[in-house]
């Protein structure tokens, strides 16, 4: 039957129908009186239809058509994606607002930054300005509801003339970006590749739906390394400053349709509480809108694990920028499914106000929910336009004021200290108020325990120039700038609190609107002790608990507790590292310190050109300075001269010319042939590692299990890297099992991907890897992949377990639980695997394994030397790490196995531990016995 067109009045009426009525219609959107092409007339099939997905190419074509037809939309290209596509954002508002976008953007900026306004000026601007709302789609590309629904949301906003739509267009500037264009194109094309609709699926997708990191594109926000994240953060925190950031996902809780905020605890103590109270308002408005439209099945708080702790996600980074961050998780997809009967979801309660009956569910049903969720957010923003604008100013102004005076951030450790100070002292008199609570009260005078002078928040941070790895310092500064943080740089040398600092040092003051984000990047996280019930096991956090970026990147900085100033100038935009210098006359060659991560780029460029490169194995004095063990030695030649001249300045790497070769022992490096292990469907840690290898210009190939199983690996590779999650877990659960999806039948996928199928097995793969290593190959295992190192015979075993008869068992969570935190370890930087590193480093530890030697041939490189290594995050039983080894250098036959229990390349954030991997790729092949 040919779908019929609705008039605009019928369209509005349809929007109010219950789901059963909508399901009877073949169309989601009808005609209109404004000449706007409906989605059904612009795509091969209407987006939202069963067994159909529109791809990004089709979506962009529709956007361009809409822009030609409507004066309510303006398209903006916000940058390139990882695969080189243009990332488009639709700005929707009234024609009058679109004509004055620069003015309204400036108002939003001034109110959000709050640094050049008083309260009266802010109130006047809020009255004049427009609310700005970000509503995105497609971040996780297999969550197809969001991408298909955005098409209809845009159409309805451009084609409807009802009073609510017109009011929202007048009061709100709406930003509609596509977060992951590459993923949308890949997933939609993959789904549509089969001619028979009932055979379509995207569960067998061959690779990650973001080129490098897949699902982790929603964990990159504070680091902002993927291009799509950088584009989004620039719009949100440097250009448009939305007061509401709505990040849409799926899938919903079992037996329900959609999760909508508010969220469960824990509450991150760094951000302004007005963010959370406003978030609860908006979330309640969304639930109420669904209920009023007869859309049952929404839930909040306890129905899902989502909290507001971690700073790395699109919606959660909003909190640290004084914006309301919304997350919805909805069911649905192009393939029809059923809402199952889950008994506990059938009883109405505060967190599930309107249960839904089990039923068949279609994508267009989810799209109707999405419309009303979007509608609720826009209606809230419209009705609260002035208050949203004024509140973001108030939060920014409050943060600025806090940074200019003594202030304290109360953390769980502070509360523990207060309780300890109270001790067994009797409670204060009941004073007639809530006498039954008297046992829980302590003397008010003990409040001073929470405001000890030494525990004040810093007024700012000084990052001295001249650090051993200034390019990494620059990367840290740029991560802050990408997130809208105000950074200053010293134009001259200066002194603060009796300490001298050189010109070029960076200054980050906490007296700024984005103070919560600043504190979160410099201060240790102190995650609450969150348990399932009193005395029970710890409740798994949503994502990680400790991630302080300054710690992960090994940045040297000083916390300044008093107000300070100096010859500082604002840093206007992203910065380049200080240019490297070549000092002295290189009649014999050059020595390059090993301390800079970028020295590996220089090494790789030299080796690619055939220039010999060596490491000096002991500390040496030359060129008027001392070099730590591992200094890079480059003999003089015309080819070397050209590369040194071109690369040192660009990379921020200093080189020192010498008139004689070093007298100490040197290790001659070879250009390694590197194999990075991946698997069908893609592995995110492997993807992050691939991105790192590309950034640092290492030569490598991606290797899949079928190739490993063929053996003779030494003919093609010198190094094999197994990232976390690339090796199946063990039956004792001492090594985390990766998330495994079912692999497709080879005949169901294109021939080009069939060689990617397969799994690492104990029967075939392990012997091939053992032979590779014993014959001189280098095996690098990270995180859970260290199970492979044990299987091939490394003289090392797991240390974190309990013995149950003849069987090793994982420790109970009550005994040991470190869910993604930073722990401090000792480092022997005289060992080649740790050349260039300091003697102490923060490691990212996510319920990882630590190790102990088993026989000869294992050299500890990094280990835990005390019972309290936690530096940022949450840890139970951390004392069990004491005297265990985090990183081992082991021998096996003629080869090497480098075991790295913690994830030393975790999401490409811990720059301070990259050298473990980088050194291993060069050191192992250089020492292989022939």
């Amino acid at each position: 039957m040919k779908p019929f067109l609705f008039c605009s009045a019928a369209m509005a009426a349809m929007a109010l129908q219950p789901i059963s009525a909508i399901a009877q219609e073949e169309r989601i959107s009808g005609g209109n009186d404004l000449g706007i092409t409906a989605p059904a007339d612009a795509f091969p099939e209407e987006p939202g239809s069963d067994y159909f997905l529109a791809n990004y190419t089709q979506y962009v074509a529709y956007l361009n058509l809409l822009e030609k037809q409507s004066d309510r939309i303006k398209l903006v290209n916000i940058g390139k994606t990882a695969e080189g596509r243009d990332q488009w954002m639709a700005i929707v508002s009234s024609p009058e607002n679109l004509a004055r976008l620069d003015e309204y953007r400036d108002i939003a900026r001034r109110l959000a930054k709050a640094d050049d306004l008083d309260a009266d000026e802010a109130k006047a601007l809020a009255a004049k300005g427009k609310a700005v709302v970000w509503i995105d789609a497609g971040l996780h590309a297999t969550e197809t509801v969001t991408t298909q629904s955005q098409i209809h949301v845009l159409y309805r906003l451009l084609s409807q003339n009802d009073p609510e739509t017109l009011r929202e267009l007048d009061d709100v500037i709406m930003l509609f970006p596509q977060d992951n264009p590459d993923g949308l194109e890949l997933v939609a094309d993959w789904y549509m590749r089969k001619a028979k609709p009932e055979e379509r699926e995207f569960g067998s997708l061959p690779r990650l739906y973001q080129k490098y990191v897949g699902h982790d594109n929603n964990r990159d926000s504070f680091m902002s390394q993927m291009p799509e994240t950088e584009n989004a953060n620039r719009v949100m925190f440097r250009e448009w400053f939305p007061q509401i950031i709505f990040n849409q996902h799926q899938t919903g809780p079992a037996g329900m349709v959609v999760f909508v905020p508010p969220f469960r605890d824990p509450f991150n103590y760094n951000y302004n509480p007005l963010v959370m109270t406003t978030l609860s308002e908006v979330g309640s408005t969304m639930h109420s809108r669904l209920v009023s439209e007869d859309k049952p099945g929404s839930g909040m708080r306890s129905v899902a694990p989502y909290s507001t702790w971690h700073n790395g996600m699109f919606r959660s980074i909003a909190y640290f920028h004084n914006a309301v961050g919304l997350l919805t998780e909805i069911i649905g997809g192009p393939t029809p499914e059923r809402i199952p009967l889950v008994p506990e979801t059938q009883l109405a309660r505060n967190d599930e106000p309107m249960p839904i009956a089990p039923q068949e569910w279609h994508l267009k049903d989810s799209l109707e929910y999405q419309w009303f969720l979007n509608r609720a957010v826009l209606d809230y923003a419209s009705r609260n336009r002035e208050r949203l604008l004024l509140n973001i100013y108030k939060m920014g102004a409050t943060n600025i004021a806090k940074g200019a005076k003594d202030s304290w951030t109360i953390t769980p450790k502070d509360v523990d200290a207060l309780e300890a100070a109270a001790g067994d002292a009797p409670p204060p008199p009941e004073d007639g108020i809530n006498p039954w609570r008297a046992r829980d009260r302590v003397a008010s005078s003990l409040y001073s325990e929470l405001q000890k002078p030494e525990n004040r928040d810093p007024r700012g941070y000084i990052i001295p120039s001249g650090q051993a790895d200034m390019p990494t310092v620059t990367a840290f500064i740029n991560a802050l700038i990408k997130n809208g943080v105000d950074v200053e740089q010293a134009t001259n040398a200066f002194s603060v609190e009796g300490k001298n600092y050189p010109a070029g040092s960076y200054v980050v003051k906490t007296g700024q609107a984005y103070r919560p984000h600043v504190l979160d990047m410099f201060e240790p996280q102190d995650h609450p002790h969150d348990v399932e019930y009193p005395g029970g096991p710890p409740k798994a956090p949503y994502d990680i608990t400790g991630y302080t970026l300054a710690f992960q990147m090994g940045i040297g900085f000083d916390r300044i507790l008093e107000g300070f100033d100096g010859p500082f100038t604002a840093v206007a935009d992203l910065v380049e590292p200080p240019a490297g210098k070549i000092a002295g006359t290189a009649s014999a060659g050059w020595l390059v310190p090993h301390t800079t991560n970028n020295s590996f780029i220089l090494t790789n460029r030299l080796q690619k050109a055939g220039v010999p490169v060596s490491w000096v194995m002991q500390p040496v004095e030359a060129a008027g300075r001392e070099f730590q063990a591992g200094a890079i030695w480059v003999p003089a030649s015309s080819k070397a001269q050209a590369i040194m001249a071109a690369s040192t300045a660009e990379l921020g790497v200093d080189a020192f010319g010498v008139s004689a070769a070093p007298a100490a022992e040197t290790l001659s490096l070879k250009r390694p042939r590197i194999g990075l292990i991946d698997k069908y469907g893609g592995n995110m840690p492997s993807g992050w590692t691939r991105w790192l290898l590309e950034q640092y210009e290492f030569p490598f190939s991606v290797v899949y299990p079928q190739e490993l199983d063929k053996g003779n690996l030494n003919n093609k590779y010198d190094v094999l890297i197994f990232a976390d999650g690339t090796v199946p877990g063990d039956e004792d659960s001492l090594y985390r099992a990766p998330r495994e999806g079912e692999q497709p039948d080879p005949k169901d996928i294109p021939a080009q991907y069939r060689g990617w199928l397969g799994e690492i097995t104990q029967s075939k793969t392990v012997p091939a890897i053992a032979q590779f290593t014993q014959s001189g190959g280098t095996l690098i295992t990270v995180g859970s992949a260290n199970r492979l190192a044990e299987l091939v015979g490394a003289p090392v075993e797991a240390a974190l377990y309990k013995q149950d008869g003849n069987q090793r068992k994982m420790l109970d969570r009550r005994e040991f639980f470190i869910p993604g935190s930073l722990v401090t370890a000792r480092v022997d930087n005289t060992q080649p695997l740790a050349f260039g590193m300091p003697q102490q480093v923060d490691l990212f530890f996510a319920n990882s394994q630590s190790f102990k030697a088993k026989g000869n041939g294992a050299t500890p490189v990094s280990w835990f030397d005390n019972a309290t290594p936690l530096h940022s995050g949450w840890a139970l039983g951390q004392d069990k790490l004491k005297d265990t080894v985090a990183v081992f250098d082991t021998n096996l036959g003629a080869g090497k196995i480098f075991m790295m229990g913690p994830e030393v390349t975790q999401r490409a954030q811990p720059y301070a531990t990259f050298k473990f991997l980088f050194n291993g790729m060069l050191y192992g092949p250089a020492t292989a016995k022939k």
Side-chain angles (χ1 to χ4, degrees), residues 23 41 67 83 123 135 139 362 451 453 581 586 595 712 844 860:
D41 299 320
E67 188 179 40
E83 295 180 19
K123 189 172 182 179
I135 304 180
L139 183 63
H362 299 266
Q451 293 192 335
K581 302 179 294 295
T595 50
N712 297 317
F844 180 80

Side-chain angles (χ1 to χ4, degrees), residues 585-591 633-637 656-662:
T585 302
S587 54
W590 300 267
L591 284 169
W633 167 240
V634 183
S637 70
F656 300 85
V658 293
S659 57

Side-chain angles (χ1 to χ4, degrees), residues 1 103 254 376 391 454 459 572 587 605 642 716 771 852 917 926:
M1 180 179 72
E103 176 185 352
N391 280 351
E454 64 271 23
R459 302 286 183 89
S587 54
R605 290 179 182 179
K716 292 183 65 176
Q771 180 62 45
K852 56 187 177 182
L917 174 66

Side-chain angles (χ1 to χ4, degrees), residues 118-130:
D118 61 28
D120 289 338
E121 291 171 322
K123 189 172 182 179
L125 283 176
K128 184 180 177 182
K130 303 297 180 182

